[in-house]
């Protein structure tokens, strides 16, 4: 089997993509190979499969993580492989990795150990070009806006109201705030703007939430880039470039078919972050997957307070799909961190004391596990706690977490060892998930769309994060009033906040309560179909850590890539 981070060209341990497609009863006209080990599915496949029965739909989320992550992707891959070993046709649907964490804090995003997606190096880097298409479409619109302003075309946009920014899928904090139009002979207006991450952009969110090409084009056309001097929205359709943007994204809307290191099929498609975007893979991929398999395992970004809440309230609301069970990943080290007894800094190794046996810290941090179980309970879903074991974990700690999880209301609590043992290390988890998914559930959304914008934000802040109240900057208050007057008040809300705490403040660990949740900005993502609230000190263009993962990545004489994990 290939080593993590290596190219798999010619690897005898993997199946040709035609064989993976045959496992799913796909014919040769249903997909287009991109080399030997990956393919793109064709447009309209979900509609053609509607006569097939629908799979059990399983979400995977986590507690608040350490900066190094808790193996949520590894757990999702291991669960899918274990379900396959039990004889169930299973597909995993995961997000495409962003180059920002690949070269930043975390490294690769295609699993690890004996739970990897393959071809791993391809998936972590350029893959099939989807991320580049998102970047190109976003930046094309930015250049069209500047040209529109320079030539004083109608409708006239008030430059002070332009919200659209350029994007780049790398951590580059120096581009977060820039001034454009500095040519000696001005070709564009001089104005302040900035860059955001491609994976967290509205175009990426649109790609993830669109159901087909017609829906994609309509959503792109609804994007609001700014206001006229009469305070009326200016959309992409008005600027005339929606067709060009759609043309750049035609192939990017097609899900990517790959496999795990145990040849379990996976659809890897779209890549928003769960803390600064809606944090889930595509609706198109899920709608296809649920017609091709017995079980579909899909992962949300970060914790139940981030990606899972948006999975339920934004993605499921848009797709119409309803989950049958949720898996909540936790680790001993993350629970100990949530005790507040240890100091951890993103970009630096975890302190040695955090990795030592400490049952008191486990019990103190377990309030965070309880909070996440309570979050999922509000949606009416059975929850299986997956305790992702690391090699040096204390068996006493793992047993303590199991007992606590069951006492706190989990349907089951299972120790998994997928990183070291692959699918075999998640058999008990798969059996628990099958049992949980077979039970009736009362899945429901957290809030109705008829609620006011302020009440939606308050509902999320108080019922999910544990806040006592919400405080709005004057700018955010004006935006709420403006968006409701313009008819956007019925949209769901996507909250951008830290992933390290249930609150807006990464220093508030455990289960903070009684705090005031600050909303400093509110943006409109009319094309994606949600309002975007920025809270605390969250950044949409982060910087690199002191020791970026990029410094560990290299190639050998044969061109094999190493260091992506």
């Amino acid at each position: 089997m290939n080593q993590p981070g290596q190219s798999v060209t010619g690897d005898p341990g993997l199946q040709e993509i035609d064989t993976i497609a045959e496992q799913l009863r796909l014919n040769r006209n249903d997909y287009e190979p991109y080399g030997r080990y990956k393919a793109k599915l064709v447009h309209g496949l979900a509609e053609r499969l509607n006569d097939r029965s629908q799979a059990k739909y399983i979400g995977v989320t986590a507690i608040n993580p350490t900066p190094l992550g808790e193996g949520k992707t590894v757990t999702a891959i291991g669960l899918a492989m274990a379900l396959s070993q039990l004889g169930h046709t299973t597909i995993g649907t995961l997000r495409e990795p962003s180059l920002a964490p690949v070269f930043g804090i975390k490294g690769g995003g295609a699993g690890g150990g004996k739970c990897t997606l393959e071809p791993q190096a391809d998936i972590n880097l350029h893959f099939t070009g989807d991320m580049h298409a998102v970047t190109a479409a976003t930046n094309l619109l930015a250049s069209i806006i500047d040209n529109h302003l320079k030539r004083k075309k109608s409708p006239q946009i008030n430059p002070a109201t332009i919200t659209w920014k350029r994007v780049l899928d790398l951590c580059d904090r120096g581009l977060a705030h820039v001034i454009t139009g500095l040519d000696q002979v001005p070709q564009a207006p001089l104005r302040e703007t900035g860059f955001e991450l491609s994976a967290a952009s509205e175009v990426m969110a649109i790609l993830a939430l669109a159901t087909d090409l017609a829906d994609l084009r309509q959503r792109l056309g609804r994007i609001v880039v700014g206001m006229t001097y009469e305070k009326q929205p200016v959309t992409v359709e008005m600027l005339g470039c929606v067709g060009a943007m759609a043309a750049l994204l035609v192939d990017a809307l097609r899900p990517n078919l790959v496999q795990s290191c145990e040849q379990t099929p996976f659809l890897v498609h779209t890549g928003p972050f769960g803390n600064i975007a809606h944090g889930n893979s595509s609706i198109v991929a899920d709608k296809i997957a649920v017609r091709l398999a017995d079980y579909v395992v899909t992962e949300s970004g970060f914790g139940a307070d981030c990606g899972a809440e948006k999975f339920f309230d934004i993605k499921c609301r848009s797709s119409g799909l309803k989950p049958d069970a949720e898996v909540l990943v936790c680790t001993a080290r993350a629970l100990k961190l949530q005790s507040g007894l240890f100091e951890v800094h993103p970009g630096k190794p975890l302190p040695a004391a955090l990795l030592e046996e400490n049952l008191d810290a486990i019990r103190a941090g377990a309030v965070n596990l309880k909070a996440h179980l309570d979050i999922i309970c509000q949606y009416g879903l059975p929850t299986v706690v997956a305790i992702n074991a690391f090699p040096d974990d204390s068996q006493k700690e793992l047993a303590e977490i199991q007992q606590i999880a069951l006492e706190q209301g989990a349907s089951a609590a299972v120790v998994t060892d997928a990183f070291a043992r692959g699918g075999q290390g998640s058999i008990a988890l798969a059996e628990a998930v099958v049992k949980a998914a077979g039970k009736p559930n009362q899945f429901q959304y957290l809030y109705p769309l008829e609620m006011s914008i302020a009440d939606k934000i308050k509902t999320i802040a108080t019922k999910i994060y544990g806040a006592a109240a919400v405080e709005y900057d004057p700018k955010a208050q004006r935006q709420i009033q403006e968006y409701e007057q313009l008819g956007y008040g019925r949209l769901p809300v996507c909250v951008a906040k830290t992933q390290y705490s249930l609150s807006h403040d990464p220093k508030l660990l455990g289960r903070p309560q009684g705090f005031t949740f600050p909303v400093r900005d509110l943006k409109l993502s009319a094309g994606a179909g949600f309002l975007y609230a920025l809270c605390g000190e969250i950044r949409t263009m982060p910087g690199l850590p002191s020791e970026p993962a990029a410094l560990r990545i290299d190639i050998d004489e044969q061109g094999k890539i190493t260091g992506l994990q």
Side-chain angles (χ1 to χ4, degrees), residues 292-554:
L292 290 174
D294 304 318
Y295 287 85
V296 171
V297 177
T298 189
E299 175 197 359
S300 304
F302 296 112
D305 58 321
C306 287
E309 184 273 317
K310 296 163 189 175
F311 170 56
F312 301 138
D313 288 316
I314 296 176
K315 183 180 178 182
C316 289
R317 201 190 296 264
S318 187
S319 71
L321 298 175
K322 296 183 178 181
D324 294 283
E326 191 75 8
V327 174
L328 179 64
V329 181
C330 73
T331 62
R333 65 184 194 177
L335 286 175
K336 286 186 282 188
L337 171 62
Q338 290 299 322
S339 72
L341 300 174
F342 306 92
E343 191 170 341
V344 173
H345 300 282
K348 294 184 178 180
L350 298 177
L354 183 67
L355 307 179
E356 297 173 356
E357 182 179 293
N358 190 328
L359 292 176
D360 288 338
I362 290 285
R363 296 180 189 114
V367 294
N368 188 262
L369 174 61
K370 172 62 173 172
H372 286 276
L373 283 167
D374 288 346
I375 288 170
I376 300 169
C377 181
Q378 293 183 73
Y379 293 92
L381 291 173
T383 307
V384 176
V385 171
I387 306 162
N388 183 30
F390 284 73
D392 297 330
D393 281 348
S394 153
Q395 293 302 311
K396 289 182 180 179
E397 287 182 343
L398 297 177
E400 184 73 13
I401 297 169
Q402 274 187 291
Q403 181 178 339
I404 290 171
L406 292 172
E407 291 172 353
Q408 291 180 344
S411 297
V414 181
V415 176
T416 67
D417 192 17
F419 184 92
R421 299 174 58 215
Q424 193 63 33
S426 288
I427 292 294
L429 174 62
E431 291 172 339
V433 166
V434 168
K435 186 175 180 180
K439 298 177 181 178
N441 71 69
Q442 290 77 43
F443 176 72
Q444 60 185 355
Y445 305 123
L446 185 67
Y447 54 81
L449 294 180
E450 294 75 20
M451 260 190 184
S452 69
I453 296 172
D455 283 345
K456 288 171 192 166
I457 295 173
K458 181 180 179 181
T459 299
I460 296 171
T462 56
K463 292 190 176 182
I464 301 297
Y465 310 147
V470 178
E471 182 178 77
Y472 297 94
D473 282 3
K475 180 182 178 182
Q477 289 179 324
R478 291 194 301 271
Q479 289 164 331
I480 287 176
Q481 185 177 12
E482 182 178 280
Y483 293 146
E484 287 188 333
Q485 288 174 347
L486 290 171
Y488 295 112
R490 289 173 61 89
L491 295 177
V493 175
C494 178
V495 177
K497 75 170 191 73
T498 180
Q499 67 270 29
Y500 298 125
S501 168
L502 285 162
S503 75
H504 62 286
D505 184 350
K507 296 179 181 178
L508 295 179
L509 301 176
R511 189 173 192 171
Q513 293 179 317
F515 60 92
T516 298
F517 189 70
V519 179
R520 61 179 175 83
D521 201 357
L522 190 71
K523 296 182 178 180
L524 172 64
S525 294
F530 54 72
L531 294 159
Y532 180 32
L534 280 76
C535 307
E537 296 302 316
I538 196 72
R539 294 173 176 176
T540 55
M541 173 51 82
L544 290 168
S546 57
E547 291 294 324
L551 304 184
R552 303 192 299 267
I553 297 170
D554 206 342

Side-chain angles (χ1 to χ4, degrees), residues 164 200-207 219 223-224 524-529:
W164 197 256
S201 66
E202 184 173 0
V203 170
M204 178 58 84
I206 287 171
L207 199 67
R219 287 175 179 269
I223 292 171
V224 173
L524 172 64
S525 294

Side-chain angles (χ1 to χ4, degrees), residues 35-354:
R36 295 172 60 188
Y37 300 108
K38 55 185 185 289
K40 273 195 168 291
L41 303 182
V42 300
H43 290 300
L45 185 56
E47 290 73 18
R48 297 207 298 275
L49 297 172
N50 265 340
D51 59 335
R52 297 193 187 184
S53 58
Q54 188 163 303
K56 294 291 186 181
Y57 191 40
I58 312 299
V60 178
T61 188
I63 66 170
N64 293 108
T66 69
L68 297 180
E70 306 320 304
K72 181 156 53 69
T73 300
V74 165
T75 301
I77 295 170
L79 171 59
M81 295 193 305
L83 287 165
S84 295
Q85 288 190 23
L86 292 177
H88 306 291
T89 301
T90 306
I91 300 176
T93 62
L94 301 184
R95 297 160 294 145
E96 296 183 38
S98 163
L99 294 179
V102 167
F103 294 129
I105 290 179
K106 291 183 68 176
K114 293 187 177 180
C115 282
T116 58
L117 297 179
E118 303 294 349
Q120 187 180 162
D122 293 8
I123 294 168
N124 274 319
L125 299 177
H126 302 290
F127 202 18
T128 57
D130 296 348
M131 200 71 73
H132 300 311
V134 168
T135 302
T138 303
N139 293 343
L140 169 65
L141 176 54
S143 66
I144 291 288
I145 293 168
D146 280 343
N147 185 62
H148 189 94
L149 283 173
K150 172 67 177 174
R151 301 185 185 282
K152 299 180 180 179
K153 291 186 174 184
S154 181
Q156 288 195 0
I157 309 172
N158 179 352
T161 67
I162 294 174
T163 55
W164 197 256
K165 294 184 178 181
R166 288 169 172 81
V167 297
L168 181 71
D169 202 49
L170 293 168
C171 292
D172 194 343
R173 187 66 187 153
L175 292 176
H177 187 197
V178 301
I179 297 175
T180 58
L182 290 171
D183 314 57
Q184 272 192 326
V185 180
Q187 299 298 311
L190 189 70
R191 67 184 185 91
E192 293 184 26
T193 180
F195 279 75
E196 297 176 328
L197 291 174
S198 302
S201 66
E202 184 173 0
V203 170
M204 178 58 84
I206 287 171
L207 199 67
L209 296 172
T211 55
D212 54 33
L213 282 170
D215 187 35
L216 172 69
R217 195 187 186 285
Q218 289 171 3
R219 287 175 179 269
L220 291 171
R222 293 199 299 264
I223 292 171
V224 173
V225 302
M227 299 287 175
T228 66
Y229 287 96
E230 294 75 30
K231 297 185 178 181
Q232 293 302 306
V234 178
T235 66
V236 171
E237 193 71 64
M238 294 175 183
L239 298 181
C241 64
V242 62
M245 293 177 68
L248 285 169
L249 296 166
V250 166
D251 284 339
L253 185 62
R254 298 162 58 192
N256 306 294
L257 176 64
V258 293
Q259 64 191 291
S260 74
C261 54
E262 292 183 6
Q263 299 89 48
T264 300
F266 274 79
L267 297 180
V268 178
H269 195 216
T270 72
F273 288 90
N275 59 340
I276 54 176
H278 77 72
N280 287 274
S281 58
S282 76
I283 284 176
V284 172
D286 284 9
K287 284 198 162 186
I288 292 171
V290 296
R291 297 298 181 180
L292 290 174
D294 304 318
Y295 287 85
V296 171
V297 177
T298 189
E299 175 197 359
S300 304
F302 296 112
D305 58 321
C306 287
E309 184 273 317
K310 296 163 189 175
F311 170 56
F312 301 138
D313 288 316
I314 296 176
K315 183 180 178 182
C316 289
R317 201 190 296 264
S318 187
S319 71
L321 298 175
K322 296 183 178 181
D324 294 283
E326 191 75 8
V327 174
L328 179 64
V329 181
C330 73
T331 62
R333 65 184 194 177
L335 286 175
K336 286 186 282 188
L337 171 62
Q338 290 299 322
S339 72
L341 300 174
F342 306 92
E343 191 170 341
V344 173
H345 300 282
K348 294 184 178 180
L350 298 177
L354 183 67

